[in-house]
Amino acid sequence: MLIPNKSLKKHFIFVLSTIQVLMILSFTPTNLQAKEVVDKVVASVNNEIILLSELKNMDLRLKKQGAIDETLLLGESLDSLKGDKKLQLNFLIREKLVESEIKRLNLSSSDEQINAELDLMAKKNQMTLADFSKYLNSQGYKLNEYKEVLKARTERQVFFEKEIVSKLRITDEDAYSVFQAKYPNSKQSIREFKISQIFFSSKKGGSKEAFARAQAAYKRLTSGESFETLANQLDETPGSNKDGVLGSFKSGEFLPEIEKAIESLSNNNTSDIIRGPSGFHIVKMLDKTTVQDSNFLRAKEVIKASLVQQNFERQLKNWFELKKLDAKIKVYETP
């Protein structure tokens, strides 16, 4: 056996040590010198944090249809957010404020609810869930990613309904004010009258004799005789109906002098003698109701929906301003 001399032995130990050092270095991570920060908190809202990655992702969200809830823009446009990190951070803060309240009020949607909503959306579009998933992919969404978007929107919708919409009070009068501003000649209400009459025509013996017949009939009425009996006996209305019934008329469809005389009559009351252009009338009010303008009735619900939207936006802004005063909001890095 050959035994190396001392010099050779020292050389061997040096080579071995060098190899060991090289092996150790080869397995040392390159980031030992300085570890790069890949994410950090840029702001916090109560117990919710906003990460730098969320802020960076805003530009991508702006390109995806439905990824930004425009309700939270508060009058800002989607275009105004593009490239503006300060506005984007403000938007994220509003998202976190609502998210914080949803958790506090326990309004979170379950996975079962979201899955059921997805199934319903697929069926409405006559797709299987697999086909709907492919469609989402074409729009830049993975199925799980879209579930998160849908979950957030569903929860916010429930929250807005509970905290803001349910507290709005839009009356018919509010709607009519809008309608009247657009149609200033409209009438909020129209009286509808159902009447009967006893008519005495001036064509039979002249005006003086017609008035005398009316006076005689009126005297009999005030003595207690039935209006209907006298109408059947005395009414000179061409083609008159039984009991003198004329039917129903809306305000504006009468001769002005007759409408003026009967508008204050209560149901089943009888008028004094009314002079008309062709004779004299004694009118009995059978029924009087007030109905709204049919044009307004057709437009009312659309107007009220518009007013709800306008008031919702104003109330939502107020809600955010008040919540900002109470919330613990910290911005650690200004964009």
Side-chain angles (χ1 to χ4, degrees):
M1 179 180 295
L2 295 174
I3 299 175
N5 59 31
K6 292 181 180 181
S7 174
L8 185 59
K9 187 176 180 180
K10 288 180 181 179
H11 177 71
F12 179 76
I13 293 171
F14 172 77
V15 171
L16 181 61
S17 299
T18 302
I19 293 171
Q20 288 173 336
V21 170
L22 289 173
M23 289 176 67
I24 291 168
L25 288 175
S26 68
F27 288 101
T28 301
T30 57
N31 61 354
L32 277 179
Q33 296 178 1
K35 186 175 180 179
E36 182 184 357
V37 177
V38 293
D39 212 345
K40 60 182 176 180
V41 176
V42 293
S44 62
V45 180
N46 296 328
N47 296 321
E48 308 295 327
I49 61 171
I50 299 173
L51 296 172
L52 179 62
S53 57
E54 291 181 82
L55 187 57
K56 288 181 176 179
N57 193 47
M58 279 294 293
D59 287 327
L60 181 60
R61 285 179 63 186
L62 285 163
K63 295 176 182 178
K64 288 185 178 181
Q65 186 176 359
I68 298 294
D69 188 344
E70 295 186 38
T71 306
L72 301 181
L73 291 175
L74 302 185
E76 297 168 352
S77 66
L78 282 174
D79 287 339
S80 68
L81 263 65
K82 292 177 181 177
D84 192 325
K85 291 300 176 185
K86 187 174 181 179
L87 288 182
Q88 290 176 8
L89 181 58
N90 287 337
F91 178 85
L92 289 172
I93 288 172
R94 291 196 288 268
E95 274 192 332
K96 297 297 181 182
L97 273 171
V98 174
E99 187 177 331
S100 175
E101 285 297 297
I102 287 170
K103 289 180 179 178
R104 184 181 69 82
L105 296 170
N106 195 28
L107 299 176
S108 298
S109 300
S110 66
D111 290 342
E112 290 77 10
Q113 289 173 307
I114 300 306
N115 287 333
E117 186 66 24
L118 273 175
D119 287 338
L120 184 61
M121 291 174 70
K123 287 176 182 177
K124 282 184 177 180
N125 288 280
Q126 299 180 336
M127 296 181 183
T128 65
L129 191 56
D131 290 335
F132 190 62
S133 180
K134 290 178 182 178
Y135 169 75
L136 291 175
N137 284 333
S138 71
Q139 300 299 307
Y141 284 107
K142 294 180 180 178
L143 184 60
N144 286 337
E145 182 186 6
Y146 188 74
K147 280 185 180 182
E148 290 301 316
V149 172
L150 184 59
K151 176 179 169 66
R153 280 185 173 271
T154 302
E155 290 172 349
R156 282 195 291 267
Q157 185 175 349
V158 173
F159 170 75
F160 291 148
E161 181 65 36
K162 176 180 174 61
E163 291 298 299
I164 298 178
V165 175
S166 65
K167 297 175 183 178
L168 296 176
R169 296 291 179 266
I170 306 299
T171 65
D172 286 359
E173 287 72 22
D174 296 328
Y176 185 72
S177 295
V178 174
F179 181 80
Q180 193 173 41
K182 188 173 182 180
Y183 304 101
N185 295 326
S186 66
K187 295 180 180 180
Q188 181 175 8
S189 59
I190 300 173
R191 288 185 181 276
E192 189 170 80
F193 307 92
K194 184 177 182 182
I195 62 172
S196 56
Q197 76 165 357
I198 307 172
F199 174 65
F200 303 92
S201 174
S202 297
K203 292 180 180 180
K204 293 178 67 174
S207 179
K208 187 175 180 180
E209 288 193 18
F211 182 62
R213 293 195 301 276
Q215 283 181 310
Y218 188 75
K219 186 176 180 180
R220 291 171 66 181
L221 274 173
T222 56
S223 297
E225 290 193 51
S226 163
F227 182 95
E228 288 72 24
T229 299
L230 291 174
N232 291 329
Q233 293 176 1
L234 306 174
D235 184 25
E236 298 170 7
T237 304
S240 59
N241 296 321
K242 183 182 177 182
D243 299 335
V245 175
L246 284 180
S248 297
F249 302 87
K250 288 185 174 62
S251 179
E253 295 176 347
F254 285 108
L255 291 171
E257 54 268 33
I258 295 179
E259 184 166 339
K260 184 178 180 181
I262 69 172
E263 62 182 1
S264 60
L265 281 181
S266 300
N267 289 348
N268 297 315
N269 283 2
T270 303
S271 72
D272 294 331
I273 299 171
I274 305 167
R275 178 185 288 272
S278 56
F280 297 88
H281 307 259
I282 301 173
V283 176
K284 181 177 181 178
M285 182 65 68
L286 301 177
D287 188 35
K288 179 170 65 175
T289 56
T290 301
V291 296
Q292 290 181 313
D293 183 344
S294 59
N295 292 320
F296 168 63
L297 289 176
R298 284 192 290 271
K300 182 174 70 173
E301 293 308 316
V302 174
I303 294 172
K304 289 179 82 169
S306 175
L307 288 174
V308 166
Q309 182 63 29
Q310 292 172 25
N311 282 271
F312 170 78
E313 290 173 358
R314 184 173 66 251
Q315 289 300 107
L316 185 59
K317 286 181 181 179
N318 293 339
W319 184 88
F320 275 117
E321 292 305 316
L322 290 173
K323 282 299 172 183
K324 283 180 181 178
L325 295 176
D326 296 333
K328 296 177 181 177
I329 300 174
K330 291 183 180 180
V331 178
Y332 302 105
E333 183 173 316
T334 305

